[in-house]
Amino acid sequence: MFASLPLGTQFTLLVAVPSIAAMLVGKRLFLPDERFRTLLVDFLKTDWKYLGVAWVVTEVVNTLALHFHVARTFTGAIYAIEGATVAAFQAVTATPLTVLATGVYLVGFPFVVLFTYFKLKAHDEEEAHRYALAYIMVVVAAVPFFLLFPVKVSSLYLSTVEPLMYELSPAIQYGIFSTDTLVKAFPSLHTGLSVLAALYAQKADTRYAYTATVLAVAIVFSTLYLGVHWVTDAAFAVLLVWVAYRLSQRVSDPRWSVVTREFVSGVRRRTPL
C-alpha cells in the first residue's frame, strides 16, 4: 500500500512519521515532568513566535536559493582547497550504514534542532530565545553564499563519491531532488545547525548535552558519508556557528516582544505628529 502512494507522499511520510516519533521519545526521556497540555499552551502563547519566524526564514532562504542563485558554480574552488578528501568517508560503505546515516540526516537533524529549543526552555527560557536568534543568524548568513557562491554536492562532482542517499530509495531521491537545488552545499546548514544545537544543549542537563553532541557528530558524519557535503562546507559552517553563538550570547534580553516594542517606540519617536 505504501509503495502505491505518490513518491512525494512517501517521502513526507518517511520523514514526518519518524520525526514525530523521535520528538515523543525525546519528550519522555528528557522532559518527563512536562505535560503535553502545558507544552501546547506555551507553544500557542509564545513559542510559535520564535519557532515560526525561524521556519519562515528557513523557507524564504530555501526559496531564494532555489530560484535566484547565479548560474555559474564554484565547486572547482572547493575541490582546489580539499581535493577528494571527502571520498575517505566512503572508504567503507554498507546498506545498513547508509540507512542509518540517511535516518540521522533526515530525522536526527530536525529532532536535535527543534527539540533543543524545548529542552532549553524548560531550563532557561532566555537561552532558548537566544538559541532561536542564533539559528536565524546562521541561516541568514548562508544566503550570500547560496546565491553568489553555489557549490554542487560532492557526489555530483566527484566520480569517487557515490550519491548513497539519493540511490537508497526512489521516494528519497524524488523528495530531495524536488526541494533542493543540489548547488547550495556551501556552507553545510546540517552541520552548522546541529553543532549550534549541541553548543546550546550544554546549557541544559548533562544527559541531553551528551545526546545532542553525539547526534551532531553523527549528522556531520552522515553529510560527508552520504556524498552531500564537502569537508570545507562543514568547517565553514562551524565558523558561522561560532560567530552566531557569540553574538547571540551578547544579547541581554532575547525576548522578541522587547525588540519589537523598542522598534515600534523608535519609529514613533521619528514620526512627526
Side-chain angles (χ1 to χ4, degrees):
M1 181 177 178
F2 180 79
S4 64
L5 296 173
L7 290 177
T9 303
Q10 290 183 35
F11 178 73
T12 299
L13 291 175
L14 283 173
V15 176
V17 173
S19 295
I20 293 171
M23 292 294 289
L24 293 175
V25 171
K27 191 271 175 196
R28 183 173 182 82
L29 291 177
F30 302 112
L31 294 173
D33 299 327
E34 296 288 328
R35 299 176 58 188
F36 278 110
R37 179 182 176 84
T38 302
L39 291 172
L40 179 60
V41 169
D42 286 348
F43 176 81
L44 295 175
K45 185 177 179 180
T46 59
D47 294 334
W48 68 270
K49 301 174 186 177
Y50 300 91
L51 299 178
V53 170
W55 178 80
V56 169
V57 168
T58 302
E59 288 300 304
V60 170
V61 169
N62 285 334
T63 300
L64 289 173
L66 184 64
H67 297 290
F68 299 105
H69 65 82
V70 298
R72 177 189 176 189
T73 62
F74 294 84
T75 320
I78 300 298
Y79 179 72
I81 294 173
E82 66 176 76
T85 303
V86 70
F89 288 87
Q90 290 189 359
V92 176
T93 61
T95 299
L97 179 58
T98 301
V99 171
L100 177 61
T102 300
V104 168
Y105 185 88
L106 295 177
V107 177
F109 172 72
F111 166 77
V112 75
V113 170
L114 181 58
F115 191 83
T116 296
Y117 173 87
F118 291 105
K119 180 62 176 177
L120 282 170
K121 188 170 180 291
H123 286 260
D124 188 333
E125 189 169 358
E126 286 194 356
E127 290 299 340
H129 296 168
R130 289 190 182 94
Y131 169 62
L133 179 61
Y135 173 102
I136 292 173
M137 288 179 179
V138 172
V139 174
V140 171
V143 173
F145 301 99
F146 289 167
L147 299 184
L148 304 177
F149 192 76
V151 173
K152 289 183 179 180
V153 300
S154 57
S155 59
L156 296 186
Y157 187 83
L158 295 173
S159 60
T160 54
V161 176
E162 296 294 325
L164 296 176
M165 181 171 66
Y166 310 139
E167 295 177 345
L168 187 61
S169 161
I172 292 175
Q173 184 181 88
Y174 176 86
I176 298 295
F177 280 37
S178 62
T179 57
D180 198 327
T181 64
L182 303 181
V183 292
K184 61 180 182 68
F186 181 89
S188 168
L189 288 185
H190 263 70
T191 293
L193 296 176
S194 59
V195 169
L196 178 68
L199 274 177
Y200 264 97
Q202 307 307 309
K203 298 179 181 297
D205 60 63
T206 304
R207 188 165 64 126
Y208 182 71
Y210 176 79
T211 301
T213 300
V214 170
L215 264 178
V217 171
I219 291 165
V220 175
F221 171 80
S222 72
T223 66
L224 301 171
Y225 168 79
L226 294 171
V228 179
H229 285 286
W230 302 76
V231 175
T232 308
D233 304 338
F236 188 75
V238 172
L239 176 61
L240 288 182
V241 165
W242 180 81
V243 174
Y245 177 79
R246 294 298 297 270
L247 289 175
S248 64
Q249 285 294 297
R250 294 172 66 90
V251 178
S252 59
D253 192 341
R255 290 181 299 162
W256 292 5
S257 59
V258 173
V259 175
T260 303
R261 186 167 63 247
E262 290 179 350
F263 173 78
V264 172
S265 298
V267 171
R268 287 176 176 171
R269 287 195 298 269
R270 291 171 174 79
T271 303
L273 299 176

